[in-house]
Amino acid sequence: FLKVLSHIDSILQSPRAPPLIFRPSKGPVQNYIKEHGQGCGFEHLPLTIEMWADQLIALKDLHRSLRKLSLEFLPWNTKDPQDNKESIRVEDLQLIVDAILEELEHKEKNSQTQSLQTLSAIVSHFQKLFDVNSLNGVYPRMNEVYTKLGEMTNAMRNLHELLELDSSAPPTVVVDTVGKLCDIINKNVTEQVQQLLGTQDIHSIINKLEEHECFFPPFQALIQDLLCLLEISNLDDILPAVQNLK
């Protein structure tokens, strides 16, 4: 037993030994040990060894958790170099952590590169769609597009309300409805012109218009001359002025 203690003592006195393992005993126990020459200061060693055993078990649990985390970030790395070993070292856990951190840094760099490529593609596509020649013109054109879009949205909303259409009606329905209204208006105008000219024949309408073009210029010239001779400015004053001349 003393030989084992001496061996432990030599280990504890090495530079690699943790500083809190060896603690000399105090009190009556120390005096008794000094008298019998058996004092090595290992009274607390069983508790330390129990603590180490718990830590080794926890180390295995931590290794198992890190392996699960590693499979999430490194699914292709299914082989664990420690699968066939009973003991787990801190270095083994550090290797797993370093591999995960390296993969995260690699993904972050790729993500930033892809983001720049995506943004560049978006800007180029916008320039092509809206005929923007330079990057400096992108923001002004964006503002212009935004303004035009707002105007179109307001116009479509007003048309929906005026035409009594559902707000979900697509623009094609709005255009068709406006076209139908235009057809109705044009038809009514044609009927009114026909009633005004007293004919249903398009050729008769053309003749009436030609007669009007022949009659109206001389009549207009005559009226202008009368206004000048009578020194008046309104058509309604022509008849009273002529009657006063009698």
Side-chain angles (χ1 to χ4, degrees):
F1 178 73
L2 292 176
K3 184 177 180 180
V4 174
L5 292 180
S6 299
H7 183 64
I8 294 175
D9 185 53
S10 64
I11 295 175
L12 296 178
Q13 291 178 3
S14 67
R16 298 180 59 187
L20 297 178
I21 293 179
F22 180 79
R23 291 202 302 266
S25 302
K26 297 181 180 180
V29 177
Q30 175 67 17
N31 295 331
Y32 174 81
I33 292 174
K34 285 182 178 180
E35 292 176 359
H36 294 79
Q38 298 176 356
C40 292
F42 302 121
E43 291 78 6
H44 70 291
L45 194 56
L47 295 176
T48 303
I49 293 175
E50 289 179 2
M51 184 267 292
W52 283 358
D54 293 338
Q55 291 299 312
L56 288 175
I57 295 174
L59 200 63
K60 292 182 179 180
D61 294 337
L62 179 60
H63 177 262
R64 191 179 302 109
S65 299
L66 285 177
R67 281 294 299 158
K68 292 180 180 179
L69 184 62
S70 175
L71 291 176
E72 291 291 332
F73 290 97
L74 310 170
W76 57 87
N77 187 15
T78 57
K79 181 175 177 54
D80 185 0
Q82 301 298 325
D83 284 344
N84 299 324
K85 293 185 179 181
E86 295 183 356
S87 60
I88 302 297
R89 300 177 304 173
V90 175
E91 290 84 352
D92 303 327
L93 305 182
Q94 188 63 46
L95 286 175
I96 298 176
V97 173
D98 290 342
I100 294 175
L101 291 177
E102 183 178 356
E103 179 63 19
L104 288 176
E105 292 177 358
H106 180 68
K107 285 185 177 180
E108 183 178 358
K109 290 180 180 179
N110 288 342
S111 176
Q112 291 177 354
T113 303
Q114 292 176 359
S115 297
L116 291 176
Q117 293 176 350
T118 302
L119 290 176
S120 177
I122 292 173
V123 173
S124 299
H125 189 61
F126 181 88
Q127 289 181 266
K128 183 177 180 181
L129 287 178
F130 298 100
D131 194 23
V132 182
N133 297 325
S134 65
L135 291 176
N136 293 332
V138 170
Y139 281 110
R141 186 56 59 87
M142 281 185 175
N143 294 333
E144 181 181 352
V145 171
Y146 178 78
T147 302
K148 294 295 184 182
L149 178 61
E151 293 176 355
M152 292 294 296
T153 302
N154 292 333
M156 290 299 296
R157 182 168 53 249
N158 293 333
L159 285 173
H160 279 92
E161 294 178 357
L162 291 173
L163 300 174
E164 297 182 354
L165 296 174
D166 187 82
S167 59
S168 61
T172 53
V173 175
V174 176
V175 173
D176 291 341
T177 305
V178 173
K180 292 177 181 178
L181 287 177
C182 291
D183 292 339
I184 293 173
I185 292 173
N186 291 334
K187 184 178 179 180
N188 291 336
V189 170
T190 302
E191 292 178 353
Q192 291 176 3
V193 171
Q194 290 175 349
Q195 293 176 1
L196 178 64
L197 298 177
T199 178
Q200 301 294 326
D201 186 5
I202 187 64
H203 295 289
S204 299
I205 295 175
I206 294 174
N207 293 331
K208 292 285 187 181
L209 292 175
E210 290 177 350
E211 291 176 359
H212 178 269
E213 290 180 355
C214 294
F215 168 78
F216 185 74
F219 177 77
Q220 184 180 18
L222 175 62
I223 296 300
Q224 291 294 333
D225 292 339
L226 286 174
L227 292 175
C228 292
L229 291 173
L230 299 174
E231 296 181 353
I232 55 178
S233 58
N234 295 324
L235 293 177
D236 296 336
D237 296 333
I238 292 177
L239 185 57
V242 172
Q243 290 177 347
N244 291 333
L245 293 176
K246 291 182 178 180

